[in-house]
């Protein structure tokens, strides 16, 4: 369903009228691997150097933030930038004192005034639970409040996100910083991303998935097809799975991406074995899956008062039970074609699973269940260096959301910081970020891909 309002608001007359009426002005978002157009500015609160080392590891040129307030007009504020900037990366990893928060404000203020289109604010702090001091934890948690608010204040398609480090290395943070700076994170804003420690972490390489096998369920259309195409773009052999009824579309998608199609209803009890058998027969007995993406999903919306067992059960079966059963099968180290050590499991949850949604108790149960399963499974797979994460999309323009009544759909499109629906590729890019071999320090996370929707936390 095309977003008519966005098209109208971007033509010259429509722009003038909508501006005059104070209506939303959805910007064209920078997408793909493109970096910000202007300078990447590096600011430091305290003495941390992990941001500088990570940006240098990524080979990115940075401009030091204006830190010296002595050269100002007497207001005590830092001077203004003399040209538009593309991003500010603020290293606040040593911020422990409440007074440090004033420095965060002072550094962000001129940067926000100079921020170009699709700009980026990335604050790096320490995960509050890692600190024993009450003041230190309060300061680190305050950074989240700042970032969530700045995300809502960004204009022209900009985003603001917080990276929370533990005893992470620059290599462990690099894939996150790269993702957040690039257009790949166009629809991710106001989010904290927690990075753990991994002494084996390696910096990102391109293409990220050369010679790697990636399985995507529900891949014949919509978000699944887009996930598959992002992985194919980045060098993966993709196995596209969908129900036999979607066979033609599935074959078409697989052919266009140079992947393989597997017609399979994932609710069949031996679906996991069938996926592994397909991988082993197609790529050889020793082949292992690098990443499995549980994307297939359905909705059967009704108020709970009107939901019968069939409506309830079918949604839970596809969205939750099937994925858990497939994990069990693929995690068996003795199954040919199973998940590799160092592999990735990524599930597609939903903001409905975080905030709940009227008429979607079954769907929200399944998606909240996905989040619970991800958090519970992640710590058990550290020994095998397998990471488990979830994305929680908000409103994404697909056939699923085209079925939503027009007024509700329009509300969902505008009720987020970038004032537009996301594209399937936004979900695909975020999943590929989790699946990146360089994202080995990130596990048990749920990242919303919702343009900072105002719904839920
Ligand atoms: P979609 O309906 O366009 O595509 C879902 C795909 O899953 C279809 O190709 C379908 O055939 C397949 N599928 C369904 N049941 C299956 C089964 N038993 N076995 C194998 N394949 C099966 O939906 P979409 O909008 O692309 O959504 C993809 C995922 O993203 C779903 O998990 C959905 O819940 C989630 N999601 C979507 C949105 C959104 O705004 N579109 C928001 C939040 C979450």
């Amino acid at each position: 369903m095309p977003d008519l309002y966005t098209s109208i608001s971007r033509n010259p007359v429509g722009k003038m009228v909508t501006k005059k009426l104070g209506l939303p002005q959805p910007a064209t978002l920078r997408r793909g691997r493109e970096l910000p157009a202007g300078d990447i500015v590096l600011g430091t609160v305290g003495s941390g150097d992990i941001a500088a080392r990570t940006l240098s590891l990524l080979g990115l040129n940075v401009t030091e933030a204006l830190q010296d307030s002595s050269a100002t007009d007497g207001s005590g504020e830092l001077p203004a930038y003399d040209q538009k900037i593309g991003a500010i990366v603020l290293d606040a990893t040593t911020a422990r004192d409440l007074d440090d928060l004033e420095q965060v404000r002072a550094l962000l203020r001129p940067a926000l005034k100079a921020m170009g289109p699709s700009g980026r604010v990335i604050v790096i702090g320490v995960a509050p639970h890692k600190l024993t001091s009450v003041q230190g934890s309060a300061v680190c948690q305050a950074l989240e409040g700042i970032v969530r608010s700045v995300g809502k204040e960004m204009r022209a398609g900009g985003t603001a996100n917080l990276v929370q480090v533990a005893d992470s290395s620059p290599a462990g943070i690099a894939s996150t910083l790269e993702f957040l700076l690039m257009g790949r994170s166009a629809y991710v804003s106001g989010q904290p991303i927690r990075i753990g420690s991994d002494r084996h972490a390696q910096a990102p390489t391109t293409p990220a998935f050369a010679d790697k096998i990636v399985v995507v369920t529900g891949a014949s259309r919509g978000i699944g097809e887009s996930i598959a195409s992002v992985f194919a773009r980045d060098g993966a052999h993709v196995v596209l799975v969908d129900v036999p009824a979607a066979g033609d579309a599935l074959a078409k998608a697989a052919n266009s991406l140079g992947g393989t199609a597997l017609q399979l209803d994932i609710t069949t009890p031996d679906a996991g074995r069938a996926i592994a058998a397909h991988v082993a027969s197609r790529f050889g007995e020793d082949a292992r899956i690098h990443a499995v993406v549980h994307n297939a999903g359905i909705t059967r919306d009704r108020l709970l008062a009107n939901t019968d067992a069939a409506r309830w059960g079918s949604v839970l079966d596809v969205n939750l039970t099937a994925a858990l059963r497939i994990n069990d099968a693929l995690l068996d180290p003795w199954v040919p074609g199973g998940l590799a050590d160092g592999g990735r499991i990524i599930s597609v949850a939903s903001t409905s699973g975080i905030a709940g949604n009227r008429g979607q108790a079954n769907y929200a149960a399944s998606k909240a269940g996905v989040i619970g399963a991800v958090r519970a499974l992640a710590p058990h797979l550290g020994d095998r260096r397998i990471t488990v994460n979830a994305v929680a999309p908000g409103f994404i323009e697909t056939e699923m959301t085209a079925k939503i009544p027009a007024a509700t759909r329009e509300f969902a499109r505008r009720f987020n910081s970038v004032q537009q629906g996301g594209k399937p590729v936004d979900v695909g890019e975020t999943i590929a970020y989790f699946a990146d071999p360089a994202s080995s320090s990130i596990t048990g996370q749920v990242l919303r891909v919702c343009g900072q929707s105002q719904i839920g936390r």
Side-chain angles (χ1 to χ4, degrees), residues 111-184:
L112 290 171
K113 283 184 195 270
M115 194 64 71
S118 289
R120 296 287 188 266
V121 171
I122 303 169
V123 178
I124 308 182
V126 169
H129 72 282
K130 288 281 168 190
L131 297 173
T132 46
S133 107
V134 173
Q135 192 167 148
S137 294
V139 167
C140 291
Q141 192 67 42
L143 296 177
E144 191 174 322
I146 295 169
V147 164
R148 286 186 189 274
S149 301
V150 168
K152 293 178 180 177
E153 293 173 7
M154 294 294 282
R155 284 171 298 178
T159 66
N161 290 287
L162 174 67
V163 181
Q164 293 176 323
V165 301
D167 40 358
S168 320
S169 63
I173 299 170
S175 69
T176 303
L177 229 52
E178 184 186 68
F179 170 71
L180 291 177
L181 285 168
M182 283 180 172
R184 300 171 64 202

Side-chain angles (χ1 to χ4, degrees), residues 217-225 227 241-246 262-268 294-300 314 317-319 322 347-352 363 366-367 391-404 422 424 427 449:
T217 66
S220 73
R221 67 178 203 190
I223 293 173
E225 185 182 5
I227 296 167
V241 180
D242 214 306
V243 286
L262 173 60
Q263 292 187 17
L264 175 72
D265 181 336
I266 58 160
T267 61
T268 53
H294 298 295
N295 163 76
I298 59 169
T299 50
R300 296 288 181 269
S314 58
D317 272 359
V318 177
N319 297 3
S347 294
V348 179
S350 166
T351 48
S352 294
Y363 184 73
S366 70
K367 296 300 189 179
V391 296
F395 182 91
I396 307 294
E397 305 279 358
T398 66
E399 287 183 41
M400 188 183 263
T401 47
K403 287 189 230 149
I404 298 174
V427 182
V449 186

Side-chain angles (χ1 to χ4, degrees), residues 420-433:
Q420 58 195 288
K423 291 190 177 179
V425 70
D426 298 326
V427 182
E429 295 280 20
T430 309
I431 288 174
Y433 149 65

